[in-house]
Amino acid sequence: MEAEERPPLSGALVLLTVFAVLGGFLFGYDTGVVSGAEVFVQNDLGLSDAKIQVVVSVTVLFAAVGSALAGAPLQARGRKPVIMVASCFYCVGSLTVAAARGFGELVAGRVVLGLGVGLSSMAIPVYVAEASPAELRGRLVSCYNLFIVLGQAAACGVNIVCGTYLGTSSRWRVSMGVAAAPAFLQLVGFFYLPESPRWLAQTGDVDGAARVLETLRGRAASSETIERDLQQLRAMEPEDVGDCAQGLSEVRRTPHLRATFGLGLGLMALQQFSGVNTIMYYGAAILIMCGFEEKDSVALTAVLALAQGLGIVVSLPLWERCGRRRLLIPSALAAAAAMACVALAFWAGIDTYKYVGLLGVVTYLVGFGLGLSSGPWVVNAEIYPTRLRGLGQASACTANWAANYVVAATFLSLCKALGQASTFALLSCISLAGAAWLHGALPETAGRSLEEIEDLFRARSYGQVRTADEDEVRNPLGDDE
């Protein structure tokens, strides 16, 4: 029995991942900072509640628009230019918001930020996945979600510091404008980073792709590992990667592609409809519903962000060791159980059982962080063929942001119409149904090359007998275990 070779993690791959997932930090920061700054914005600019709601929600809406529009350039121009444009949007949007003198300029800045969020959330997971070896792909892509949570936590900290030491107008302008600094850092860094090797190979530049791949794998990688990846690149025939209309037509008429897109979009919808952003957007309001004082509720929202971050950190080494199925399905079941716990606390009397409700919310976020937080992004970054990866990721991100918007816009109304207990019970049922659906729809993709994953979906869709190997983690090096 041969010893399993440890996957190579070169300095070049580390730099690529860090600069790429800065987009996740900006995503988390810019969507999270407004929750703590909105009171200061409202007081300083004299905005009504309706206008503040527009300021908060317009970023989510235009993130969906950005995701929908960016599929074609991601396919035709590559992954790197789209991420660099997103960095520019983050810079311009942050500075526009910081300098805003009224409602119109404020909304304009938030719109630009939303476009940046949409572009980066679509392009970065794909870019990291295509640059990573199969042995590391899951944990490196999940770093994107970790940085989202870190961005949310940083936004909370910056809001506290600005609220303590700065005046009313400076508080929100500094907290919202400071995001331009990491965005500029990412933009400068990407001038020195390569394009995705798989995108280069798909467009016919196999020699360029090979040079990038050798740099990313580093000197520590074995010659067998590098040769394996190079053979996969050389086997890729140049195709038209920029025709989205042709791509949609191919998806409609091809069973395994319909199954692939159905899984990707379904995962994104499940992530949102399981209720995570009801807690992230309305965490303080939910804790007040549970009977906590307003002051305590605001402080506890930081604990909620850290709870999801804990789950993500624990999951990082497990994406390859345990696989996608063994994290995503239990995560959905844990989310269902935790939401059921919150629902029962409301049914039994939240004044008496408020700590049961708090435990349910915290448990939900830890369980969500273990799988449903990163998993949909990891799976969507790897299941689409290279020629359709831009279209697939654009469709998935649009579905994610659309579902996000629906949840954010309806949660409080559902609580009023159905009651808190029934609303959380509904979220629990959605997660439970999602776990059952994933058991049948999600094959195990860990350890397989991006090209092998398409073959896996093709075999499932064309009537081949399902085997136990489809649900098992593949050793990408082919060693005996």
Side-chain angles (χ1 to χ4, degrees), residues 208-249:
R211 287 193 297 271
V212 170
L213 192 65
E214 289 174 346
T215 299
L216 293 177
R217 295 299 178 263
R219 296 179 179 178
S222 68
S223 57
E224 293 81 4
T225 299
I226 294 177
E227 184 59 29
R228 178 200 67 197
D229 291 342
L230 289 176
Q231 286 177 356
Q232 291 170 351
L233 289 183
R234 295 187 186 109
M236 296 172 66
E237 297 182 2
E239 299 183 57
D240 183 1
V241 297
D243 192 339
C244 285
Q246 181 179 341
L248 284 171
S249 176

Side-chain angles (χ1 to χ4, degrees), residues 303-314:
V303 175
L304 301 184
L306 292 174
Q308 185 182 172
L310 174 63
I312 294 174
V313 169
V314 171

Side-chain angles (χ1 to χ4, degrees), residues 127-461:
Y127 180 68
V128 175
E130 291 184 340
S132 303
E135 306 94 315
L136 292 170
R137 190 172 61 236
R139 72 183 72 178
L140 292 183
V141 174
S142 64
C143 286
Y144 175 69
N145 290 79
L146 176 61
F147 270 65
I148 292 175
V149 175
L150 291 176
Q152 292 169 338
C156 181
V158 170
N159 277 331
I160 291 173
V161 172
C162 291
T164 303
Y165 296 105
L166 300 178
T168 301
S169 181
S170 300
R171 288 171 180 172
W172 66 269
R173 294 182 188 277
V174 171
S175 64
M176 291 186 167
V178 74
F184 182 73
L185 177 64
Q186 183 186 46
L187 178 62
V188 172
F190 260 79
F191 278 105
Y192 301 96
L193 292 178
E195 180 54 88
S196 158
R198 280 182 167 80
W199 185 84
L200 290 173
Q202 198 73 55
T203 56
D205 187 6
V206 177
D207 292 337
R211 287 193 297 271
V212 170
L213 192 65
E214 289 174 346
T215 299
L216 293 177
R217 295 299 178 263
R219 296 179 179 178
S222 68
S223 57
E224 293 81 4
T225 299
I226 294 177
E227 184 59 29
R228 178 200 67 197
D229 291 342
L230 289 176
Q231 286 177 356
Q232 291 170 351
L233 289 183
R234 295 187 186 109
M236 296 172 66
E237 297 182 2
E239 299 183 57
D240 183 1
V241 297
D243 192 339
C244 285
Q246 181 179 341
L248 284 171
S249 176
E250 183 181 0
V251 171
R252 284 195 295 268
R253 67 174 186 267
T254 309
H256 80 274
L257 293 178
R258 290 200 302 270
T260 301
F261 274 67
L263 174 64
L265 272 65
L267 266 172
M268 288 300 200
L270 174 61
Q271 182 191 64
Q272 293 302 321
F273 288 127
S274 70
V276 62
N277 280 321
T278 63
I279 296 174
M280 301 314 296
Y281 294 158
Y282 300 108
I286 291 172
L287 292 171
I288 290 171
M289 292 178 193
C290 290
F292 291 92
E293 296 293 331
E294 181 175 346
K295 180 181 178 181
D296 296 333
S297 298
V298 173
L300 283 170
T301 56
V303 175
L304 301 184
L306 292 174
Q308 185 182 172
L310 174 63
I312 294 174
V313 169
V314 171
S315 75
L316 286 177
L318 301 180
W319 286 107
E320 273 67 50
R321 187 180 304 167
C322 298
R324 293 19 167 183
R325 287 174 57 87
R326 292 176 184 169
L327 288 181
L328 276 164
I329 296 173
S331 177
L333 292 173
M339 284 298 190
C341 178
V342 177
L344 287 172
F346 276 104
W347 264 318
I350 197 63
D351 291 337
T352 305
Y353 295 101
K354 69 178 183 180
Y355 288 103
V356 175
L358 176 62
L359 177 63
V361 170
V362 172
T363 302
Y364 168 85
L365 287 171
V366 174
F368 183 90
L370 284 169
L372 281 175
S373 180
S374 301
W377 299 99
V378 172
V379 172
N380 269 280
E382 65 188 5
I383 60 175
Y384 305 110
T386 302
R387 66 186 183 279
L388 298 173
R389 196 161 289 135
L391 175 62
Q393 192 74 356
S395 302
C397 287
T398 302
N400 185 282
W401 284 109
N404 186 331
Y405 187 78
V406 169
V407 169
T410 61
F411 174 68
L412 294 180
S413 298
L414 281 174
C415 286
K416 291 180 180 179
L418 304 178
Q420 292 96 334
S422 296
T423 300
F424 285 106
L426 175 62
L427 295 174
S428 175
C429 290
I430 290 173
S431 294
L432 184 61
W437 168 68
L438 286 174
H439 181 74
L442 177 65
E444 186 50 68
T445 56
R448 289 178 166 85
S449 72
L450 297 177
E451 292 71 33
E452 289 173 334
I453 291 172
E454 182 181 6
D455 294 335
L456 176 62
F457 277 93
R458 184 182 289 111
R460 287 165 62 93
S461 296

Side-chain angles (χ1 to χ4, degrees), residues 61-74 114-115 118-119 121-122 244 390-391 393-399 401:
L61 179 61
F62 275 84
V65 173
S67 296
L69 294 178
L74 190 73
L115 293 173
L119 291 177
S121 66
M122 183 188 67
C244 285
L391 175 62
Q393 192 74 356
S395 302
C397 287
T398 302
W401 284 109

Side-chain angles (χ1 to χ4, degrees), residues 7-54:
L9 184 60
S10 67
L13 184 57
V14 170
L15 281 176
L16 180 146
T17 303
V18 169
F19 275 100
V21 299
L22 272 177
F25 180 89
L26 290 163
F27 174 167
Y29 189 91
D30 283 314
T31 55
V33 71
V34 70
S35 64
E38 61 183 273
V39 175
F40 305 125
V41 175
Q42 188 169 18
N43 293 337
D44 187 34
L45 299 182
L47 303 181
S48 65
D49 288 344
K51 287 184 176 180
I52 280 294
Q53 184 170 299
V54 171

